[in-house]
Amino acid sequence: MDPVCAIGLASAVVTLIDVGTRVAKRLKELSETGDIPDVFRDIKTRLPLILSIVIRTQNGTHHLSPPAQDAFEEVVRQCFEQASQLNEILNKVVVAKGDSRLKKTVKAGVSLVEEARVQRIATGLRDNVQLLTFLSVTPVVVEKGESALERRPSVLLPSYASATGVFLVPFTRDEHFIGRASSLKSISASFENQNRVAISGMGGVGKSQIAIEYCYRYKDEMPDAHVFWVYGGTIARFYQGYKRIAQHLNLPRWDDPEESILDLVSSWLSSTQDNYLLVIDNADNIEHWWPGKYKSGASLDDPSKDLSKYLPDRMGNSKVLITTRDNRVAGRLARIGKPIAVQPMSEQEATSLFLSKLGDDCSNVDEAEVHALLDELDHLPLAVSQAAAFIQENCISVAEYTIALQGSDAEEFLHEELDDSRRDEDSINSVYRTLKLSHDQIKQQKPRAAELLYLLAMLDRQSIPKSLLKVAEVTTSLGVLQSFNLVTSRAGLQSFQMHRLVQSFVRISVQKDNAAGKWQEKALACVSKDYPTEIGVAEWPICDALAPHVHIVTGYEYKTTEARLDLAHLLCWAADFDIERGMYTQALERAKWSLELFRELVPEDDERLAAATWLYGRLRYYQAQNAKDADEAGGLLEKALSIARYPSLTYGETAFELSHLCFDQGNEKRCLEMGKASFECWKESEGPNSVRTLDNMHDYALELALLGHEQEGITMWQEIMQRCPASDASENTKTVFTYRSMAGIAEFQDDAAMAEVFYADLAKISETLYYSEHVHVLDYRLSHAEQIMRQGRLDEATRLSESILANNSGHSEWRICAGCLQIIAECCRSRASYSKEQEYRLRILELHEKKLGRDHKDTIDVTHDLADCYLNNQKYSEARDQYLKVLSWRNKRLDRTHIDTLRAIECLGVSHVYEGRDEEAEAAYLDAIDRQTSPNARLLHNLCVVLQNQSKWEMLETWSRQLCELDDENRERALWSLMNALEQQGKTAEAMEVRMSFLALGTPDAEPPKAWRLPQSPPVRVDRRFGRMIHPRTWSA
């Protein structure tokens, strides 16, 4: 039978039943009062039988042969016409209670006239009963290629196997049912203690499929038990399901139009001794179950009743299994025990399901592509099945489907209807429509919850802090969303997460409604308002929790000025936290973007512009690869300083960064000026004993000490210790300030043993404040190792440095790695293991060049260390090349009299001497001497060595006399050089006089030591690490 005819026939059957039922009801009423005409008595008997046979035969009409189907259709049409005629005649001849005597007489006359017509109708009905009886017992004819158990719309399947119990599950068993063992086991375990069990989960998670499988397993175990399946998604279908139960059980008066089917079936379910399983599938709409408590668009005949009253309560042989996506429905209908939550499939289950749906097409799929797709679908069974069907039907690859799902075509893919005979005809077979059903119910029941759903979808879908959701009715709204399993709670209801496909659906929905921009701005406002404006240790957990949401909301485009200002602020604060985590590249990008926004949105003298300029300049300084980058960073910081209000946080921070930058550039004057300005700014704005005042005082004291003003630095550290007791800092912070000060004093008084103790304590305290691998903890541990090295405990210092290096592997703070390598290299030098030292020096240089570039001051310093190593290892040409690089940079960037520049010249001269390049060595030494304000004895001695090597006796005499005037350890060498120069010039008398002075020093009159003929290398460059606090706000917590 074609679909159009089937629809017309079904309509005719429904109309026949409706009219026939009314006629039968009226005939029954007349029979009970004795007022029925004789001609209608035969019809009264036959009409209910015809209706019953029509219903039963209609349910099996698809199994009839084509001729039988045509016959059935004709019979139904005849019955309909006969029933309509009977109804018309009854209206004319049946006497009502209020009829007058005249009207009764008239109706009696009409009855006589219509008697022949009624008789013909009775004869026709009698023939139709015989024909329908024949059709109802005709053997089933199965068309070729069609399964006898194939599901048809609105069809009752035959009873399960040969069991005696009724089996009304309208779905065939899935012979390839996959997984779900834990859910099935939980259902069985729950039924041991209760007669009602509810399974809940989001739409498409596979609740109905689990229920179908449980029905078949239950029937396998109890063949004589009844299994009923009722669709609970609508009131009409619930009623239809109960009526079907009544019909198959042949309950008394089930076909009586006046009988309440719901009461009839409910009464039987509550009183029967038979074993049965009742499944209520898709009981999703809470309004259908408790209309008195919730609004409802549909109602029962009696508004005071609700569907929940028609579920059996008795224990014993009865079992009621409920599937729903609403946890509220699940909990209230189950009553005892918690609902069983159905989660998406495991990766293994989802993979098996996906491959089984692909069938023969799965042989060439890539395993990695499958896993990527299933992760994108979050292993949701409906989505997995839908994807497999789409891929198979459209002949596309798994990778192509995944890419499309992530792009603008996602709605089309999620909208695709899945043709699945094992899902109810009223069930929605696409992910999009499944989620839309839940969304529409939420929007109807609680609009605030729907609005919260839109907001959540604009954030990162995982770990959404409840504190972030600054909206009305948030608690009850979250409850509704959790009830529908659209969001799930984590960490004791303090954070929530959303299914990936739910987020995709909501974003698509708001985009279609042109509301995406509105909810993106609201999400940005929530994150911006919740983000800490000043970041200390106490704020790190908050910033960590908000980090993924910052990443999401900063990726949207905003049009309004208010939103763009929120974005600028958030970028600024997030960049500040990125610095704390060592994520400098990301911080630089965010700071630059923030500065561009503020330049566009606020006046030139706005304090916010000053803060953004400071932050970007600070990061340009941290990321500087060469001198040009450092100069540009300095320009930004100077600009910020000129805009910033004094005193203010921005001014103090900018001065602090400028002092560090000037220190690295060798600008000592500006360094000390800005260092002092920084701590004085905090002193004026927050008081002399505030945390930030003391913190910046410590940094200024360190700069003083490192730049040669040791006593001033020590005095300032002593002042810090005096102020600590009155500070507003925590006790731990006060202890840190005190120990840092005492460590500084001990180190710059060359008391390495005492400094070692304080650094060890600082490391322990910092570990309690942060964590063992935090950069500050590692920094103090490294300073501790350095003090051990300075005491000559080289093996211990090496072990500690190697341990720190191992813990710092992969850490973003590369300077810790460089510091460890530096200490190990120094220990190798002290042992005269120059080849080993060279390996570490090269690693240090490579690290600096990679992070800072070849033109950075720190890179030049480590290049100098490598050159010293080459010199000690007698690799003179390699040493010369490195010294020339160092000297070229320092001549350009440092003062010509800077101590580092002079040392580079002197070391270059030494390397020339060892290479036999005495003229070049002479030029280098004379250049260094010319730059000095007072003579250097070591430098003069080295000059004398090269002059003697060249037999320049007059010059040797001149410079030796200057050397003799210096009363130091080089006096013996000076006298010997002068005596030699005089003797070579024939000045015997003067030479004899010098010899007497030489002998007076107790020096034996013999050949001088070989060392006197060699140049002296300058002292090893001491680069004190000393734990510098890069970020003063770190201690503000």
Side-chain angles (χ1 to χ4, degrees), residues 700-736:
Y700 181 53
L702 177 59
E703 289 166 348
L704 286 169
L706 288 171
L707 294 175
H709 307 281
E710 290 90 349
Q711 192 53 51
E712 293 180 55
I714 290 173
T715 299
M716 187 155 286
W717 276 318
Q718 291 170 339
E719 184 179 350
I720 290 173
M721 290 189 290
Q722 292 174 357
R723 292 186 180 183
C724 269
S727 172
D728 58 353
S730 66
E731 291 303 316
N732 278 337
T733 303
K734 291 178 183 178
T735 304
V736 169

Side-chain angles (χ1 to χ4, degrees), residues 65-360:
S65 64
Q69 289 180 355
D70 294 339
F72 176 69
E73 180 181 6
E74 181 60 26
V75 169
V76 169
R77 296 191 188 282
Q78 290 179 11
C79 290
F80 169 68
E81 292 175 359
Q82 292 162 352
S84 299
Q85 293 172 9
L86 285 173
N87 190 50
E88 179 185 349
I89 294 172
L90 280 174
N91 289 334
K92 294 179 181 179
V93 302
V94 174
V95 178
K97 290 183 180 180
D99 286 352
S100 63
R101 180 178 297 179
L102 176 60
K103 184 172 287 190
K104 289 179 180 179
T105 303
V106 172
K107 287 185 176 181
V110 172
S111 175
L112 292 174
V113 174
E114 295 288 347
E115 182 175 358
R117 185 182 175 193
V118 173
Q119 189 63 49
R120 288 194 302 271
I121 293 174
T123 302
L125 286 176
R126 199 164 38 242
D127 294 338
N128 287 333
V129 168
Q130 295 174 357
L131 182 57
L132 289 175
T133 303
F134 167 77
L135 288 175
S136 67
V137 298
T138 300
V140 173
V141 177
V142 181
E143 294 181 5
K144 184 177 181 180
E146 180 181 10
S147 170
L149 292 181
E150 184 177 359
R151 174 176 167 261
R152 303 279 178 157
S154 303
V155 170
L156 289 175
L157 295 182
S159 298
Y160 181 81
S162 59
T164 58
V166 174
F167 189 77
L168 298 182
V169 178
F171 310 103
T172 58
R173 189 170 193 172
D174 187 353
E175 299 300 331
H176 303 286
F177 184 79
I178 293 171
R180 302 306 199 180
S182 61
S183 296
L184 292 167
K185 184 177 180 180
S186 297
I187 293 172
S188 298
S190 298
F191 273 134
E192 293 179 0
N193 302 314
Q194 58 200 77
N195 77 314
R196 291 189 189 180
V197 174
I199 58 176
S200 64
M202 67 178 298
V205 80
K207 303 179 295 296
S208 297
Q209 304 307 310
I210 294 172
I212 293 170
E213 178 63 19
Y214 184 81
C215 287
Y216 279 92
R217 295 189 181 190
Y218 176 83
K219 191 65 173 178
D220 287 339
E221 294 178 3
M222 304 186 68
D224 295 330
H226 303 298
V227 179
F228 306 121
W229 186 281
V230 175
Y231 183 81
T234 65
I235 293 175
R237 288 291 304 278
F238 184 86
Y239 180 90
Q240 183 183 12
Y242 265 42
K243 186 170 184 178
R244 194 169 292 174
I245 293 173
Q247 176 186 350
H248 277 265
L249 292 175
N250 198 23
L251 298 182
R253 297 167 59 88
W254 72 268
D255 56 350
D256 186 344
E258 294 300 304
E259 182 68 39
S260 170
I261 290 294
L262 297 181
D263 285 327
L264 179 65
V265 175
S266 176
S267 175
W268 183 88
L269 291 172
S270 298
S271 61
T272 183
Q273 297 301 310
D274 293 351
N275 293 315
Y276 69 83
L277 168 66
L278 170 64
V279 176
I280 308 296
D281 187 35
N282 285 339
D284 299 327
N285 196 332
I286 198 170
E287 298 174 358
H288 295 166
W289 299 91
W290 296 279
K293 182 176 178 62
Y294 299 94
K295 295 180 295 181
S296 179
S299 62
L300 302 176
D301 294 336
D302 184 355
S304 66
K305 296 182 179 180
D306 56 58
L307 293 185
S308 64
K309 295 181 178 180
Y310 299 106
L311 295 186
D313 288 326
R314 61 184 291 275
M315 293 291 290
N317 302 328
S318 67
K319 293 183 178 180
V320 181
L321 180 61
I322 302 151
T323 75
T324 176
R325 67 185 68 190
D326 191 335
N327 284 334
R328 298 170 299 173
V329 175
R332 294 180 184 183
L333 289 183
R335 294 186 179 178
I336 303 174
K338 293 183 178 180
I340 298 171
V342 179
Q343 302 298 335
M345 287 181 157
S346 66
E347 183 174 8
Q348 181 179 358
E349 291 174 339
T351 303
S352 299
L353 176 63
F354 181 76
L355 296 179
S356 70
K357 296 297 182 181
L358 282 184
D360 296 336

Side-chain angles (χ1 to χ4, degrees), residues 55-70:
I55 294 172
R56 186 169 59 188
T57 309
Q58 181 211 10
N59 290 333
T61 180
H62 61 282
H63 295 305
L64 299 177
S65 64
Q69 289 180 355
D70 294 339

Side-chain angles (χ1 to χ4, degrees), residues 578-597:
D578 288 336
I579 297 173
E580 296 287 340
R581 296 187 295 175
M583 301 172 65
Y584 297 120
T585 302
Q586 178 172 286
L588 183 66
E589 294 173 355
R590 286 175 167 173
K592 181 180 180 181
W593 189 5
S594 174
L595 178 58
E596 290 172 351
L597 288 169

Side-chain angles (χ1 to χ4, degrees), residues 180 201-207 325 342-347 349-351 353-354 357 373-388 401 414 418 423 430-432 434-435 484-486 499-502 505:
R180 302 306 199 180
M202 67 178 298
V205 80
K207 303 179 295 296
R325 67 185 68 190
V342 179
Q343 302 298 335
M345 287 181 157
S346 66
E347 183 174 8
E349 291 174 339
T351 303
L353 176 63
F354 181 76
K357 296 297 182 181
L373 172 58
L374 296 180
D375 287 343
E376 190 68 27
L377 300 175
D378 274 355
H379 305 155
L380 190 69
L382 177 59
V384 172
S385 299
Q386 181 178 320
Y401 188 94
L414 296 175
L418 176 65
R423 290 176 63 85
S430 81
V431 174
Y432 186 94
T434 297
L435 295 174
F484 280 84
N485 294 285
L486 298 183
H499 194 285
R500 192 190 311 271
L501 293 179
V502 173
F505 159 75

Side-chain angles (χ1 to χ4, degrees), residues 627-641:
K628 182 181 178 182
D629 290 348
D631 289 342
E632 290 178 357
L636 287 165
L637 292 172
E638 293 287 0
K639 177 67 174 177
L641 196 71

